[in-house]
Amino acid sequence: DAGVTQSPTHLIKTRGQQVTLRCSPKSGHDTVSWYQQALGQGPQFIFQYYEEEERQRGNFPDRFSGHQFPNYSSELNVNALLLGDSALYLCASSLLGSNTGELFFGEGSRLTVL
Amino acid sequence: QQQVKQSPQSLIVQKGGISIINCAYENTAFDYFPWYQQFPGKGPALLIAIRPDVSEKKEGRFTISFNKSAKQFSLHIMDSQPGDSATYFCAASPTSGSARQLTFGSGTQLTVLP
């Protein structure tokens, strides 16, 4: 049973560029959340997708957008990249309405903005 | 009010010793308190979680103690092993009817000396 898979694992961009990160949730999960983890910090919630709609959003600008596909996979898009966007981007999946509500995290996509 | 404050930032323990990490929160809507373990280059993995209707939960060498009136909770790692060396994050979330939006602490880097 594959867990949460993310791609790419590492990427380097320059300021002003755009990036797309991809996530496949754990089998049987229907909800995908994205978190940003700066170096030495805890993950910060970006947004959450369920039934192909953004359901919750953290304190991130509109440059951060996402999408969920019918197969529950998801993309995170960041436009007009800033140096401060350099971070590990984590995808987490879960099953809405489950008793535990446990989030399963992928290994992340490490973004470096030069 | 959304913050979760975690201490200490780093912790060094001898093999066989007890590791204790503390967290405090303000938001009384929080009702789910997980601890995550993260190894370098990996995503966070759920270690143990507690709800506020119990004051303690134990799983193997890991115990969460919860003090609802003080709005504090802690992780105790008994008989700490070198393999426990990792970064530990406390987190909290409310039950909002949708999948969990976790607020993470800033992390504790644990080193267990052989």
Side-chain angles (χ1 to χ4, degrees):
Chain A
D1 177 25
V4 179
T5 58
Q6 293 186 241
S7 63
T9 55
H10 296 82
L11 68 167
I12 299 173
K13 294 286 187 178
T14 57
R15 282 179 297 174
Q17 285 189 312
Q18 179 264 346
V19 68
T20 297
L21 309 177
R22 296 176 176 82
C23 172
S24 293
K26 181 179 171 62
S27 178
H29 285 183
D30 56 8
T31 302
V32 172
S33 302
W34 287 91
Y35 288 77
Q36 180 195 65
Q37 186 177 20
L39 198 61
Q41 299 296 319
Q44 284 196 298
F45 176 76
I46 302 175
F47 44 54
Q48 178 187 95
Y49 277 84
Y50 172 70
E51 290 187 331
E52 302 178 47
E53 290 189 12
E54 183 182 295
R55 300 291 178 166
Q56 298 186 74
R57 189 179 183 93
N59 188 26
F60 279 81
D62 291 344
R63 297 187 298 108
F64 290 76
S65 63
H67 189 77
Q68 185 180 34
F69 299 93
N71 66 353
Y72 307 116
S73 66
S74 177
E75 288 182 350
L76 164 65
N77 300 290
V78 187
N79 294 321
L81 285 167
L82 304 174
L83 296 179
D85 295 332
S86 295
L88 180 67
Y89 288 86
L90 295 163
C91 172
S93 73
S94 57
L95 179 61
L96 190 71
S98 72
N99 289 336
T100 64
E102 179 179 351
L103 291 186
F104 289 81
F105 283 86
E107 295 192 348
S109 294
R110 171 78 60 189
L111 171 64
T112 301
V113 182
L114 302 177
Chain B
Q1 197 176 14
Q2 289 294 323
Q3 270 190 320
V4 175
K5 295 183 179 180
Q6 183 172 347
S7 64
Q9 185 175 359
S10 62
L11 181 61
I12 299 174
V13 174
Q14 292 286 342
K15 178 182 176 181
I18 302 173
S19 303
I20 301 175
I21 305 170
N22 301 299
C23 285
Y25 65 97
E26 290 293 327
N27 188 346
T28 55
F30 287 154
D31 67 351
Y32 173 73
F33 303 90
W35 285 88
Y36 280 81
Q37 179 188 56
Q38 186 176 29
F39 292 103
K42 302 293 186 181
L46 179 67
L47 198 58
I48 186 172
I50 197 169
R51 293 180 182 271
D53 53 348
V54 296
S55 60
E56 186 175 283
K57 182 175 181 180
K58 182 176 181 179
E59 290 184 2
R61 296 185 294 110
F62 301 92
T63 300
I64 299 179
S65 297
F66 185 81
N67 186 330
K68 186 174 182 178
S69 61
K71 290 185 283 187
Q72 295 175 348
F73 58 111
S74 61
L75 175 69
H76 292 64
I77 306 174
M78 313 299 288
D79 187 26
S80 299
Q81 300 296 312
D84 296 332
S85 297
T87 301
Y88 292 81
F89 293 96
C90 62
S93 79
T95 299
S96 63
S98 60
R100 300 197 176 281
Q101 174 184 335
L102 292 174
T103 298
F104 282 85
S106 55
T108 296
Q109 187 168 354
L110 172 65
T111 302
V112 182
L113 301 176

